[in-house]
């Protein structure tokens, strides 16, 4: 039997009768080459997506830390918000009280007081045994002075005035440091080339005016250079400013670059849903590793601080307070990653995912039918929602993601709130769609959460 021959379309410019005949062997070779090209293309996409994902995951902890450091170094309000609780922490207050008490008592010459007391007793005619034993009062006297000073200092340190002074002092100090490192021309302390100067302009103007008002007219011609005092001069100041500018760039753009690389990995991969699931799980793993690193760093810090310098409870409070925003951000990203991974899984073909989608669809459908039996029909609006379920689901999810992006320093509670609102809106839309009469679902397509097709 002669082999079957398949006519091919006529070549460009040829007549209708000029046809190329393709044999089955040639057609099979064409299909083989086409399949091989598709496999190579799919492999190249998988490799590219894997490389992008690997870089994004490696950068993710650095991006979180860089953003946190940038917040603490350049944002005075954020820094003050970080250190403010230390002023009211009992362990820190106790350490400050003990340190100030020791400083004050060290300046009290108790031995001189007891010597003076012995001499006074001798001059008053006291028996020699009494005068000679005045030195024995050194210990009790020191203890009494220490106790009295400690009570006074403790009352001051535990008062609201100390907390206010603590916040104000940290705000002034941080503003001065930022002015120096950024080269800002505002504020009393600022950088000028390789010098750090203290600008006394406001004080000088006030003093000049008071001197003029008091009759010293020549005070009005105090020269401008006398307004500034050079605090220190260093050739390394420009390098420090350049380092802060680099940190500012990293803190702003490194998180953006990490998110872009992760998005490109998902977009490049042949299976978008699977890559989204892998990316989310990888991000969650990196956040767990970052939390572990913070715990290890905490242990090293506490072991490195001598107990004679800072009590362990105060050192613990200081470390936990300073890194609490970094820890909160890491936990928030961990929760977000877990939520994204769970959503990606629920939109997949797994048996558990199909069961959850089916249960959600059954529940919302039953609720919608219950509304219809009560006479609450959504009519055309419900049918419109039923016909556009994937689109409305995507819009709601995108709205929730946008809310988290625009949220200033979101926490785990903020993520839970947004997630709850998104789920509530999806359930309401699914019930309204069922109350209007659901549009027929495409055959062979699994329903998403709430009955939506992925």
């Amino acid at each position: 039997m002669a082999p079957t021959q398949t006519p091919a379309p006529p070549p460009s410019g040829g007549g209708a009768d000029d046809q190329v005949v393709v044999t089955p062997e040639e057609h099979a070779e064409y299909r083989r080459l086409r399949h091989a090209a598709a496999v190579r293309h799919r492999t190249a996409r998988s490799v590219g997506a894997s490389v992008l994902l690997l870089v994004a995951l490696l950068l993710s902890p650095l991006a979180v830390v860089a953003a946190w450091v940038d917040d603490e170094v350049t944002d005075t309000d954020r820094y003050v918000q970080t250190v403010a609780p230390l002023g009211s922490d009992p362990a820190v207050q106790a350490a400050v009280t003990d340190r100030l008490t020791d400083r004050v008592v060290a300046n009290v010459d108790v031995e001189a007081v007891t010597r003076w007391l012995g001499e006074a007793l001798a001059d008053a005619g006291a028996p020699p045994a009494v005068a000679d034993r005045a030195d024995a009062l050194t210990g009790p006297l020191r203890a009494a002075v220490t106790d009295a000073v400690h009570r006074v200092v403790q009352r001051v340190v535990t008062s609201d005035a100390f907390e206010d002074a603590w916040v104000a002092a940290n705000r002034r100090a941080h503003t001065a440091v930022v002015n120096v490192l950024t080269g800002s021309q505002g504020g009393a302390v600022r950088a000028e080339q390789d010098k750090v100067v203290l600008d006394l302009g406001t004080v000088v103007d006030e003093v000049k005016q008071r001197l003029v008002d008091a009759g010293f007219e020549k005070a009005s011609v105090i020269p401008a250079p006398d307004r500034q005092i050079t605090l220190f001069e260093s050739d390394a100041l420009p390098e420090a400013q350049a380092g802060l500018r680099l940190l500012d760039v990293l803190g702003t753009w490194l998180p953006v670059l990490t998110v872009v690389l992760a998005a490109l990995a998902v977009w490049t991969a042949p299976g978008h849903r699977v890559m989204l699931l892998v990316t989310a799980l990888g991000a969650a793993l990196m956040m767990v590793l970052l939390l572990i690193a913070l715990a290890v760093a905490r242990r090293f810090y506490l072991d490195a601080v001598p107990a004679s310098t800072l009590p362990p409870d105060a050192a613990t409070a200081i470390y936990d307070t300073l890194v609490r925003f970094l820890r909160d951000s890491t936990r928030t990203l961990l929760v977000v990653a877990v939520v994204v991974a769970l959503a990606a899984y629920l939109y997949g073909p797994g048996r558990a995912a199909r069961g959850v989608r089916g249960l959600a669809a059954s529940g919302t459908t039953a609720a919608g039918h219950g509304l219809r039996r009560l006479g609450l029909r959504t009519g055309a609006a419900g049918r419109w929602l039923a016909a556009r379920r994937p689109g409305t689901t995507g819009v709601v999810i995108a709205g929730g993601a946008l809310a988290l992006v625009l949220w200033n320093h979101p926490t785990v509670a903020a993520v839970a709130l947004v997630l709850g609102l998104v789920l509530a809106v999806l359930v309401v839309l699914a019930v309204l769609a069922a109350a209007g009469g659901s549009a027929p679902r495409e055959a062979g397509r699994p329903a998403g959460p709430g009955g939506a097709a992925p």
Side-chain angles (χ1 to χ4, degrees), residues 225-263:
D226 293 341
R227 296 168 174 262
Q228 295 181 349
I229 298 176
T230 299
L231 299 180
F232 69 89
E233 183 175 353
S234 174
D235 296 335
L237 184 58
E239 285 76 7
Q241 293 172 335
L244 182 65
R245 286 192 290 269
L246 176 61
L247 176 62
D248 186 45
V249 172
L250 291 178
T252 302
W253 292 107
L254 189 57
V256 175
L257 175 62
T258 303
V259 173
V260 169
L261 290 176

Side-chain angles (χ1 to χ4, degrees), residues 49-147:
S50 300
V51 172
L52 291 172
L53 176 60
L54 178 62
V55 175
L57 293 181
L58 292 178
L59 289 179
S60 58
L62 299 178
V64 176
V65 174
W68 171 72
V69 174
D70 181 55
D71 268 351
E72 298 298 319
V73 172
T74 61
D75 190 338
T76 298
D77 291 335
R78 186 69 166 175
Y79 171 78
V80 172
Q81 186 181 1
T82 299
V83 301
L86 291 176
S88 58
D89 186 272
V92 176
Q93 289 179 341
V96 172
T97 300
D98 294 341
R99 182 67 58 84
L100 292 178
T101 300
D102 293 340
R103 292 283 181 88
V104 173
V105 173
N107 292 322
V108 178
D109 194 349
V110 179
E111 289 80 3
V113 173
T114 56
R115 284 196 303 269
W116 173 84
L117 179 59
E119 293 172 358
L121 290 174
D123 293 342
V130 176
D132 293 340
R133 292 181 180 178
D135 291 341
L137 297 175
T138 300
L141 182 58
R142 184 180 297 277
V145 171
T146 301
D147 184 64

